[in-house]
Amino acid sequence: MSRLLRSWLESANAPDCEFPLNNLPYGVFSTAGSDPRCGVAIGDQVVDLPALQAAGLIDFPGAFDAPSWNAFMALGREAWDALRARLIALLAADSNDQAAVAATMVAASDVTLHMPMQVGEYTDFYAGRNHAVNVGTMFRGAENALPPNWLHIPIGYNGRASSVVVSGTDVRRPWGQLKGPNDDLPRFAPCARFDIELEMGAIVGTPSNGPISVDEADANIFGYVLLNDWSARDIQAWEYQPLGPFQAKATATTISPWIVTRAALDPFRVDTPERDFELLDHIKDTGPMLYDIDLSVTLAPMGEAASTIARTNYKEMYYSAAQQLAHHTTSGCPMRVGDLLGSGTISGPEKDNRGSLLELSWGGKEPFTLDSGEERSFIQDGDTLALHGTARGDGYSIGFGPCIGTVLPALPNPYSR
Protein backbone atom coordinates (compact mmCIF):
# COMPACT_ATOMS: atom_id res chain seq x y z
CA MET A 1 0.00 0.00 0.00
CA SER A 2 1.31 3.45 -0.90
CA ARG A 3 2.26 5.94 1.80
CA LEU A 4 1.39 9.59 2.33
CA LEU A 5 3.05 12.01 -0.08
CA ARG A 6 4.02 14.93 2.12
CA SER A 7 3.11 18.47 1.07
CA TRP A 8 4.43 21.85 2.17
CA LEU A 9 0.75 22.64 2.95
CA GLU A 10 0.54 21.12 6.43
CA SER A 11 -3.25 20.68 6.39
CA ALA A 12 -2.78 18.15 3.58
CA ASN A 13 -0.63 15.90 5.78
CA ALA A 14 -3.20 15.14 8.48
CA PRO A 15 -4.18 11.44 8.49
CA ASP A 16 -7.89 12.28 8.41
CA CYS A 17 -7.63 14.88 5.63
CA GLU A 18 -9.75 13.93 2.61
CA PHE A 19 -7.49 15.76 0.18
CA PRO A 20 -3.82 14.90 0.72
CA LEU A 21 -1.20 15.22 -2.00
CA ASN A 22 -2.02 11.61 -2.97
CA ASN A 23 -5.53 12.67 -3.99
CA LEU A 24 -5.64 16.04 -5.85
CA PRO A 25 -9.28 15.77 -6.98
CA TYR A 26 -10.67 18.09 -9.65
CA GLY A 27 -13.69 20.35 -9.26
CA VAL A 28 -15.26 23.67 -10.26
CA PHE A 29 -15.56 26.45 -7.69
CA SER A 30 -16.40 30.10 -7.29
CA THR A 31 -15.86 32.72 -4.60
CA ALA A 32 -17.99 35.72 -3.68
CA GLY A 33 -18.32 37.93 -6.75
CA SER A 34 -16.31 35.63 -9.03
CA ASP A 35 -17.18 33.31 -11.88
CA PRO A 36 -16.90 29.51 -11.56
CA ARG A 37 -13.55 28.05 -12.60
CA CYS A 38 -11.56 24.83 -12.39
CA GLY A 39 -9.76 23.99 -9.19
CA VAL A 40 -7.86 21.26 -7.37
CA ALA A 41 -8.48 20.40 -3.71
CA ILE A 42 -5.42 20.07 -1.45
CA GLY A 43 -5.74 20.05 2.33
CA ASP A 44 -8.01 22.91 3.38
CA GLN A 45 -7.30 24.90 0.20
CA VAL A 46 -8.36 24.97 -3.44
CA VAL A 47 -5.79 25.72 -6.14
CA ASP A 48 -7.16 28.06 -8.82
CA LEU A 49 -6.13 26.39 -12.12
CA PRO A 50 -6.63 29.44 -14.40
CA ALA A 51 -4.53 31.46 -11.94
CA LEU A 52 -1.89 28.74 -11.88
CA GLN A 53 -1.82 28.81 -15.68
CA ALA A 54 -1.65 32.62 -15.78
CA ALA A 55 1.35 32.46 -13.43
CA GLY A 56 3.14 30.20 -15.92
CA LEU A 57 3.27 27.28 -13.49
CA ILE A 58 1.31 24.94 -15.77
CA ASP A 59 0.88 24.94 -19.55
CA PHE A 60 -2.39 23.53 -20.89
CA PRO A 61 -3.68 26.20 -23.34
CA GLY A 62 -7.46 26.39 -23.52
CA ALA A 63 -8.01 23.56 -21.06
CA PHE A 64 -9.35 25.76 -18.27
CA ASP A 65 -11.12 28.51 -20.21
CA ALA A 66 -14.57 27.11 -19.31
CA PRO A 67 -15.91 26.17 -15.85
CA SER A 68 -15.81 22.47 -16.64
CA TRP A 69 -13.22 19.71 -16.85
CA ASN A 70 -14.49 18.46 -20.23
CA ALA A 71 -11.93 20.38 -22.30
CA PHE A 72 -9.07 19.07 -20.20
CA MET A 73 -10.42 15.51 -20.30
CA ALA A 74 -10.54 15.74 -24.09
CA LEU A 75 -6.78 16.33 -24.19
CA GLY A 76 -6.26 12.65 -23.39
CA ARG A 77 -4.35 10.45 -21.02
CA GLU A 78 -0.90 11.98 -21.60
CA ALA A 79 -2.25 15.35 -20.49
CA TRP A 80 -3.97 13.76 -17.49
CA ASP A 81 -0.70 12.20 -16.36
CA ALA A 82 1.28 15.37 -17.06
CA LEU A 83 -1.00 17.64 -15.01
CA ARG A 84 -1.06 15.25 -12.07
CA ALA A 85 2.74 14.92 -12.10
CA ARG A 86 3.16 18.70 -12.31
CA LEU A 87 0.72 19.38 -9.46
CA ILE A 88 2.45 16.82 -7.24
CA ALA A 89 5.79 18.52 -7.95
CA LEU A 90 4.40 21.99 -7.21
CA LEU A 91 2.73 20.93 -3.98
CA ALA A 92 5.31 18.47 -2.64
CA ALA A 93 7.28 19.29 0.50
CA ASP A 94 10.46 19.95 -1.49
CA SER A 95 8.82 22.26 -4.06
CA ASN A 96 10.71 25.42 -5.02
CA ASP A 97 7.48 27.18 -6.04
CA GLN A 98 5.67 27.34 -2.73
CA ALA A 99 5.08 31.09 -2.64
CA ALA A 100 3.90 31.28 -6.25
CA VAL A 101 1.48 28.36 -5.78
CA ALA A 102 0.21 29.71 -2.46
CA ALA A 103 -0.76 32.94 -4.24
CA THR A 104 -3.23 30.93 -6.38
CA MET A 105 -4.92 29.23 -3.43
CA VAL A 106 -8.33 29.96 -1.93
CA ALA A 107 -9.54 28.64 1.43
CA ALA A 108 -11.96 25.76 0.87
CA SER A 109 -14.27 27.29 3.47
CA ASP A 110 -14.72 30.33 1.20
CA VAL A 111 -15.74 28.55 -2.01
CA THR A 112 -19.00 27.44 -3.58
CA LEU A 113 -18.75 24.19 -5.52
CA HIS A 114 -20.44 23.60 -8.87
CA MET A 115 -20.91 20.72 -11.30
CA PRO A 116 -17.37 19.57 -12.14
CA MET A 117 -18.19 18.61 -15.74
CA GLN A 118 -20.87 18.82 -18.38
CA VAL A 119 -22.62 15.46 -18.38
CA GLY A 120 -22.91 14.10 -21.91
CA GLU A 121 -25.10 11.05 -21.37
CA TYR A 122 -26.02 9.21 -18.19
CA THR A 123 -26.42 5.45 -17.83
CA ASP A 124 -27.31 3.79 -14.55
CA PHE A 125 -26.52 0.14 -13.92
CA TYR A 126 -27.95 -2.53 -11.63
CA ALA A 127 -24.66 -4.27 -10.91
CA GLY A 128 -24.55 -4.85 -7.14
CA ARG A 129 -25.42 -8.45 -6.38
CA ASN A 130 -26.55 -7.98 -2.78
CA HIS A 131 -28.89 -5.18 -3.80
CA ALA A 132 -30.26 -7.14 -6.76
CA VAL A 133 -30.88 -10.20 -4.57
CA ASN A 134 -32.56 -8.12 -1.86
CA VAL A 135 -34.88 -6.30 -4.25
CA GLY A 136 -35.59 -9.42 -6.28
CA THR A 137 -36.43 -11.38 -3.13
CA MET A 138 -38.85 -8.67 -1.99
CA PHE A 139 -40.78 -8.65 -5.26
CA ARG A 140 -40.29 -12.11 -6.80
CA GLY A 141 -39.20 -14.40 -3.97
CA ALA A 142 -35.75 -15.77 -3.19
CA GLU A 143 -35.94 -18.48 -5.86
CA ASN A 144 -36.39 -15.86 -8.62
CA ALA A 145 -34.42 -12.99 -7.09
CA LEU A 146 -31.94 -12.51 -9.94
CA PRO A 147 -33.17 -12.17 -13.54
CA PRO A 148 -31.75 -14.95 -15.74
CA ASN A 149 -29.36 -12.57 -17.53
CA TRP A 150 -27.98 -10.88 -14.41
CA LEU A 151 -24.94 -13.12 -13.88
CA HIS A 152 -23.92 -12.77 -17.54
CA ILE A 153 -24.21 -9.04 -18.36
CA PRO A 154 -24.28 -5.74 -16.45
CA ILE A 155 -27.91 -4.60 -16.72
CA GLY A 156 -28.52 -0.87 -17.12
CA TYR A 157 -30.89 1.81 -18.38
CA ASN A 158 -30.41 5.21 -19.99
CA GLY A 159 -31.10 7.95 -17.47
CA ARG A 160 -31.56 11.72 -17.64
CA ALA A 161 -28.34 13.70 -17.93
CA SER A 162 -30.39 16.89 -17.53
CA SER A 163 -31.28 16.06 -13.93
CA VAL A 164 -27.75 15.31 -12.68
CA VAL A 165 -26.94 17.91 -10.00
CA VAL A 166 -24.00 18.67 -7.73
CA SER A 167 -23.93 17.97 -4.00
CA GLY A 168 -25.80 20.57 -1.94
CA THR A 169 -28.63 20.97 -4.46
CA ASP A 170 -32.07 20.56 -2.87
CA VAL A 171 -34.30 17.84 -4.29
CA ARG A 172 -38.04 18.37 -4.67
CA ARG A 173 -40.34 15.45 -3.86
CA PRO A 174 -41.82 14.41 -7.20
CA TRP A 175 -45.40 13.96 -8.33
CA GLY A 176 -46.30 10.89 -10.36
CA GLN A 177 -48.86 8.32 -11.31
CA LEU A 178 -49.29 5.73 -8.55
CA LYS A 179 -51.34 2.57 -8.16
CA GLY A 180 -51.21 0.67 -4.91
CA PRO A 181 -52.29 -2.96 -4.44
CA ASN A 182 -55.68 -1.85 -3.11
CA ASP A 183 -56.34 0.81 -5.76
CA ASP A 184 -58.81 0.05 -8.54
CA LEU A 185 -57.33 2.76 -10.75
CA PRO A 186 -54.11 4.78 -10.75
CA ARG A 187 -54.02 8.25 -9.21
CA PHE A 188 -51.78 11.30 -9.52
CA ALA A 189 -50.09 12.17 -6.22
CA PRO A 190 -46.76 13.10 -4.61
CA CYS A 191 -44.35 10.21 -4.14
CA ALA A 192 -44.83 8.67 -0.68
CA ARG A 193 -41.91 6.21 -0.88
CA PHE A 194 -38.99 8.45 -1.84
CA ASP A 195 -35.60 6.79 -1.59
CA ILE A 196 -31.87 7.02 -2.30
CA GLU A 197 -29.40 4.64 -3.86
CA LEU A 198 -25.77 4.65 -2.75
CA GLU A 199 -23.65 4.40 -5.90
CA MET A 200 -20.32 5.35 -7.44
CA GLY A 201 -20.20 7.24 -10.72
CA ALA A 202 -17.49 6.68 -13.36
CA ILE A 203 -16.73 9.57 -15.75
CA VAL A 204 -15.69 8.80 -19.31
CA GLY A 205 -12.69 10.92 -20.29
CA THR A 206 -11.81 9.42 -23.68
CA PRO A 207 -14.44 9.06 -26.43
CA SER A 208 -15.00 5.83 -28.37
CA ASN A 209 -17.03 5.10 -31.49
CA GLY A 210 -17.26 1.33 -31.42
CA PRO A 211 -16.63 -1.72 -29.27
CA ILE A 212 -13.68 -1.45 -26.88
CA SER A 213 -12.09 -3.99 -24.57
CA VAL A 214 -12.31 -4.00 -20.79
CA ASP A 215 -8.70 -2.80 -20.56
CA GLU A 216 -9.39 0.02 -23.03
CA ALA A 217 -12.52 0.95 -21.11
CA ASP A 218 -10.58 1.07 -17.85
CA ALA A 219 -8.01 3.41 -19.42
CA ASN A 220 -10.80 5.63 -20.80
CA ILE A 221 -12.23 6.37 -17.34
CA PHE A 222 -11.04 9.77 -16.10
CA GLY A 223 -12.24 9.48 -12.52
CA TYR A 224 -14.95 8.71 -10.03
CA VAL A 225 -17.58 10.50 -7.94
CA LEU A 226 -20.10 9.46 -5.32
CA LEU A 227 -23.56 9.20 -6.85
CA ASN A 228 -27.04 9.23 -5.30
CA ASP A 229 -29.73 7.87 -7.59
CA TRP A 230 -32.88 9.38 -6.02
CA SER A 231 -35.72 6.91 -6.58
CA ALA A 232 -39.51 7.24 -6.29
CA ARG A 233 -40.34 3.66 -5.37
CA ASP A 234 -44.14 3.90 -5.62
CA ILE A 235 -43.94 5.57 -9.04
CA GLN A 236 -41.41 2.93 -10.08
CA ALA A 237 -43.60 0.02 -8.94
CA TRP A 238 -46.42 1.09 -11.26
CA GLU A 239 -44.45 2.20 -14.31
CA TYR A 240 -41.47 -0.15 -14.61
CA GLN A 241 -43.05 -3.01 -16.57
CA PRO A 242 -42.18 -3.79 -19.30
CA LEU A 243 -39.41 -1.25 -20.06
CA GLY A 244 -37.92 -0.50 -16.64
CA PRO A 245 -37.41 2.77 -14.70
CA PHE A 246 -38.58 6.04 -16.22
CA GLN A 247 -40.10 8.91 -14.21
CA ALA A 248 -39.19 7.22 -10.94
CA LYS A 249 -35.54 7.94 -11.67
CA ALA A 250 -35.84 11.29 -13.47
CA THR A 251 -36.19 13.66 -10.50
CA ALA A 252 -32.50 14.03 -9.68
CA THR A 253 -29.17 12.26 -9.54
CA THR A 254 -26.73 13.92 -7.14
CA ILE A 255 -22.95 13.60 -7.53
CA SER A 256 -20.15 14.64 -5.20
CA PRO A 257 -18.32 17.84 -6.22
CA TRP A 258 -14.79 16.49 -6.66
CA ILE A 259 -13.66 14.07 -9.37
CA VAL A 260 -11.19 11.65 -7.80
CA THR A 261 -8.95 10.51 -10.62
CA ARG A 262 -8.36 6.92 -11.56
CA ALA A 263 -4.65 7.51 -10.91
CA ALA A 264 -5.35 8.54 -7.30
CA LEU A 265 -7.36 5.36 -6.75
CA ASP A 266 -4.88 2.95 -8.36
CA PRO A 267 -3.35 1.86 -5.00
CA PHE A 268 -6.78 0.67 -3.85
CA ARG A 269 -7.60 -1.70 -6.71
CA VAL A 270 -9.15 -5.06 -5.80
CA ASP A 271 -10.48 -8.00 -7.78
CA THR A 272 -14.09 -8.51 -8.74
CA PRO A 273 -15.79 -11.48 -7.00
CA GLU A 274 -15.70 -15.10 -8.07
CA ARG A 275 -18.08 -15.80 -10.95
CA ASP A 276 -20.98 -18.24 -11.01
CA PHE A 277 -20.52 -18.46 -14.77
CA GLU A 278 -17.53 -17.57 -16.89
CA LEU A 279 -18.14 -14.20 -18.50
CA LEU A 280 -18.03 -13.80 -22.27
CA ASP A 281 -14.80 -12.44 -23.71
CA HIS A 282 -15.98 -8.85 -24.18
CA ILE A 283 -16.46 -8.35 -20.41
CA LYS A 284 -14.13 -11.01 -18.98
CA ASP A 285 -12.09 -9.96 -15.95
CA THR A 286 -8.54 -8.93 -16.85
CA GLY A 287 -7.25 -7.83 -13.44
CA PRO A 288 -8.22 -5.84 -10.36
CA MET A 289 -10.69 -3.16 -11.50
CA LEU A 290 -12.83 -2.55 -8.43
CA TYR A 291 -11.66 -0.34 -5.55
CA ASP A 292 -11.52 -0.70 -1.78
CA ILE A 293 -13.54 2.39 -0.86
CA ASP A 294 -15.48 2.53 2.40
CA LEU A 295 -18.93 4.03 1.86
CA SER A 296 -21.63 5.23 4.24
CA VAL A 297 -25.02 6.95 4.28
CA THR A 298 -26.23 9.45 6.85
CA LEU A 299 -29.75 10.77 7.38
CA ALA A 300 -30.48 14.01 9.27
CA PRO A 301 -34.09 15.04 9.92
CA MET A 302 -34.68 18.78 9.73
CA GLY A 303 -32.91 20.51 12.61
CA GLU A 304 -31.47 17.28 14.03
CA ALA A 305 -28.13 15.54 14.06
CA ALA A 306 -27.25 13.03 11.37
CA SER A 307 -27.44 9.27 11.96
CA THR A 308 -25.31 6.80 10.03
CA ILE A 309 -27.83 4.35 8.59
CA ALA A 310 -25.62 2.21 6.33
CA ARG A 311 -21.98 1.24 5.77
CA THR A 312 -20.65 -0.75 2.83
CA ASN A 313 -17.74 -0.84 0.36
CA TYR A 314 -17.37 -0.36 -3.40
CA LYS A 315 -15.61 -3.74 -3.65
CA GLU A 316 -19.02 -5.38 -3.14
CA MET A 317 -19.88 -4.72 -6.81
CA TYR A 318 -20.26 -7.68 -9.16
CA TYR A 319 -19.22 -5.76 -12.29
CA SER A 320 -16.56 -3.03 -12.46
CA ALA A 321 -17.08 0.31 -14.21
CA ALA A 322 -14.66 -0.88 -16.90
CA GLN A 323 -16.83 -3.93 -17.60
CA GLN A 324 -19.93 -1.75 -17.66
CA LEU A 325 -18.34 0.67 -20.11
CA ALA A 326 -16.98 -2.12 -22.35
CA HIS A 327 -20.41 -3.77 -22.48
CA HIS A 328 -22.04 -0.42 -23.24
CA THR A 329 -19.92 -0.05 -26.39
CA THR A 330 -20.64 -3.49 -27.88
CA SER A 331 -23.61 -2.24 -29.93
CA GLY A 332 -21.45 0.47 -31.48
CA CYS A 333 -22.88 3.03 -29.05
CA PRO A 334 -20.56 6.08 -29.12
CA MET A 335 -19.25 7.14 -25.72
CA ARG A 336 -18.36 10.81 -25.25
CA VAL A 337 -16.22 12.90 -22.96
CA GLY A 338 -18.24 13.58 -19.80
CA ASP A 339 -20.52 10.56 -20.07
CA LEU A 340 -21.49 9.33 -16.61
CA LEU A 341 -21.98 5.69 -15.59
CA GLY A 342 -23.76 4.91 -12.31
CA SER A 343 -22.55 1.69 -10.71
CA GLY A 344 -25.89 0.55 -9.34
CA THR A 345 -26.71 0.37 -5.66
CA ILE A 346 -23.80 -0.84 -3.52
CA SER A 347 -25.04 -3.07 -0.71
CA GLY A 348 -23.14 -5.53 1.44
CA PRO A 349 -24.25 -8.86 2.89
CA GLU A 350 -25.51 -7.58 6.26
CA LYS A 351 -28.61 -5.54 7.06
CA ASP A 352 -26.62 -2.41 7.97
CA ASN A 353 -24.72 -2.69 4.66
CA ARG A 354 -27.78 -1.96 2.54
CA GLY A 355 -27.43 1.02 0.23
CA SER A 356 -31.09 2.02 -0.09
CA LEU A 357 -33.96 2.69 2.30
CA LEU A 358 -36.03 0.19 0.32
CA GLU A 359 -33.65 -2.52 1.54
CA LEU A 360 -33.02 -1.08 5.01
CA SER A 361 -36.78 -1.07 5.76
CA TRP A 362 -37.47 -4.17 3.62
CA GLY A 363 -40.06 -2.39 1.52
CA GLY A 364 -41.41 -0.47 4.51
CA LYS A 365 -42.26 -3.58 6.52
CA GLU A 366 -39.30 -3.27 8.92
CA PRO A 367 -38.68 0.42 9.76
CA PHE A 368 -35.18 1.27 10.96
CA THR A 369 -34.37 3.53 13.91
CA LEU A 370 -32.30 6.72 13.89
CA ASP A 371 -29.99 7.67 16.76
CA SER A 372 -32.76 9.93 18.13
CA GLY A 373 -35.13 6.94 18.39
CA GLU A 374 -37.22 8.15 15.45
CA GLU A 375 -38.24 5.47 12.95
CA ARG A 376 -37.94 5.70 9.17
CA SER A 377 -39.01 3.60 6.22
CA PHE A 378 -38.62 6.17 3.45
CA ILE A 379 -37.51 9.81 3.21
CA GLN A 380 -39.60 12.51 4.88
CA ASP A 381 -39.70 16.17 3.82
CA GLY A 382 -36.81 18.08 5.34
CA ASP A 383 -34.54 15.03 5.59
CA THR A 384 -30.95 15.53 4.47
CA LEU A 385 -29.29 12.46 3.00
CA ALA A 386 -25.53 12.34 2.55
CA LEU A 387 -23.19 9.78 0.99
CA HIS A 388 -19.57 9.55 2.12
CA GLY A 389 -16.63 7.67 0.63
CA THR A 390 -13.06 7.09 1.81
CA ALA A 391 -10.17 4.96 0.54
CA ARG A 392 -7.64 4.44 3.34
CA GLY A 393 -3.90 4.27 2.68
CA ASP A 394 -0.87 4.11 4.94
CA GLY A 395 -1.18 7.32 6.96
CA TYR A 396 -3.58 9.05 4.60
CA SER A 397 -7.14 8.97 3.25
CA ILE A 398 -8.62 9.66 -0.17
CA GLY A 399 -12.02 11.37 0.01
CA PHE A 400 -14.62 12.66 -2.43
CA GLY A 401 -16.35 15.33 -0.39
CA PRO A 402 -19.89 14.53 0.75
CA CYS A 403 -22.73 13.94 -1.69
CA ILE A 404 -25.63 15.77 -0.04
CA GLY A 405 -29.25 16.52 -0.85
CA THR A 406 -32.16 17.83 1.24
CA VAL A 407 -35.69 16.80 0.25
CA LEU A 408 -38.20 19.63 -0.12
CA PRO A 409 -41.98 19.14 -0.05
CA ALA A 410 -43.78 18.46 -3.32
CA LEU A 411 -45.05 21.49 -5.19
CA PRO A 412 -48.81 22.13 -5.21
CA ASN A 413 -50.57 19.97 -7.80
CA PRO A 414 -49.42 21.54 -11.08
CA TYR A 415 -52.56 20.28 -12.85
CA SER A 416 -55.25 21.36 -10.38
CA ARG A 417 -57.78 23.79 -11.80
Side-chain angles (χ1 to χ4, degrees):
M1 182 177 291
S2 63
R3 295 185 176 184
L4 171 71
L5 300 176
R6 296 197 66 84
S7 171
W8 53 263
L9 182 67
E10 279 304 318
S11 62
N13 299 325
D16 59 348
C17 173
E18 282 197 293
F19 307 127
L21 187 56
N22 304 65
N23 192 349
L24 301 180
Y26 300 146
V28 170
F29 76 101
S30 62
T31 52
S34 75
D35 293 329
R37 53 206 185 272
C38 292
V40 177
I42 175 75
D44 60 1
Q45 301 289 308
V46 177
V47 180
D48 184 327
L49 266 292
L52 203 66
Q53 181 123 310
L57 294 169
I58 58 174
D59 186 21
F60 297 89
F64 308 116
D65 291 347
S68 163
W69 280 86
N70 292 60
F72 176 77
M73 287 190 281
L75 295 179
R77 289 188 290 273
E78 288 188 9
W80 307 352
D81 293 342
L83 177 61
R84 180 172 174 82
R86 179 60 177 155
L87 289 171
I88 289 174
L90 290 170
L91 292 161
D94 59 356
S95 171
N96 295 320
D97 297 292
Q98 296 181 24
V101 175
T104 72
M105 287 180 167
V106 179
S109 58
D110 293 336
V111 309
T112 298
L113 297 173
H114 304 271
M115 279 291 293
M117 79 287 191
Q118 294 178 329
V119 180
E121 307 285 350
Y122 167 49
T123 303
D124 195 28
F125 285 88
Y126 184 60
R129 184 168 187 169
N130 293 306
H131 173 71
V133 167
N134 287 337
V135 173
T137 299
M138 268 186 259
F139 294 106
R140 294 185 297 275
E143 66 282 358
N144 296 308
L146 290 178
N149 60 352
W150 199 94
L151 293 169
H152 299 275
I153 58 171
I155 298 171
Y157 68 91
N158 290 315
R160 288 293 305 174
S162 64
S163 55
V164 178
V165 297
V166 73
S167 175
T169 305
D170 292 337
V171 176
R172 181 75 65 175
R173 182 179 298 273
W175 285 78
Q177 191 175 116
L178 319 174
K179 185 180 183 299
N182 300 318
D183 295 333
D184 293 330
L185 294 171
R187 55 196 171 84
F188 187 70
C191 167
R193 294 163 68 91
F194 204 38
D195 196 3
I196 59 128
E197 290 190 345
L198 167 60
E199 304 191 22
M200 294 290 297
I203 299 167
V204 177
T206 302
S208 56
N209 290 303
I212 60 175
S213 70
V214 171
D215 287 328
E216 289 170 325
D218 181 55
N220 284 5
I221 293 171
F222 180 67
Y224 292 81
V225 291
L226 303 176
L227 185 148
N228 182 353
D229 175 28
W230 300 89
S231 301
R233 299 300 186 187
D234 40 7
I235 297 173
Q236 184 177 358
W238 172 235
E239 75 176 5
Y240 83 101
Q241 296 191 46
L243 296 180
F246 181 40
Q247 292 296 84
K249 301 281 192 170
T251 300
T253 299
T254 303
I255 64 170
S256 52
W258 296 104
I259 302 171
V260 176
T261 62
R262 189 173 61 89
L265 292 173
D266 269 347
F268 306 98
R269 285 180 177 262
V270 293
D271 289 320
T272 44
E274 292 186 14
R275 304 297 179 187
D276 294 51
F277 301 94
E278 186 175 0
L279 296 175
L280 297 181
D281 287 345
H282 74 287
I283 53 171
K284 190 171 292 185
D285 301 282
T286 62
M289 289 190 185
L290 285 177
Y291 298 96
D292 183 1
I293 302 172
D294 289 328
L295 301 167
S296 64
V297 181
T298 59
L299 189 159
M302 185 184 298
E304 298 183 25
S307 300
T308 299
I309 60 174
R311 297 182 188 276
T312 185
N313 192 290
Y314 186 39
K315 64 185 178 183
E316 294 289 347
M317 296 304 297
Y318 195 77
Y319 296 102
S320 67
Q323 289 169 311
Q324 293 169 344
L325 177 54
H327 181 67
H328 207 329
T329 68
T330 56
S331 64
C333 172
M335 303 302 295
R336 299 171 179 150
V337 173
D339 282 357
L340 176 65
L341 306 181
S343 64
T345 306
I346 307 166
S347 295
E350 306 299 328
K351 184 173 182 178
D352 63 356
N353 301 151
R354 298 171 181 173
S356 69
L357 276 63
L358 176 69
E359 297 168 87
L360 286 167
S361 70
W362 207 250
K365 296 177 182 178
E366 302 173 7
F368 57 92
T369 304
L370 304 179
D371 293 346
S372 64
E374 186 177 354
E375 289 191 338
R376 278 288 190 280
S377 291
F378 293 96
I379 300 169
Q380 296 184 10
D381 292 345
D383 285 349
T384 296
L385 280 298
L387 315 183
H388 309 268
T390 307
R392 304 184 191 281
D394 184 1
Y396 73 96
S397 300
I398 298 287
F400 295 77
C403 181
I404 300 174
T406 298
V407 175
L408 304 180
L411 293 169
N413 188 342
Y415 304 107
S416 60
R417 298 180 184 277

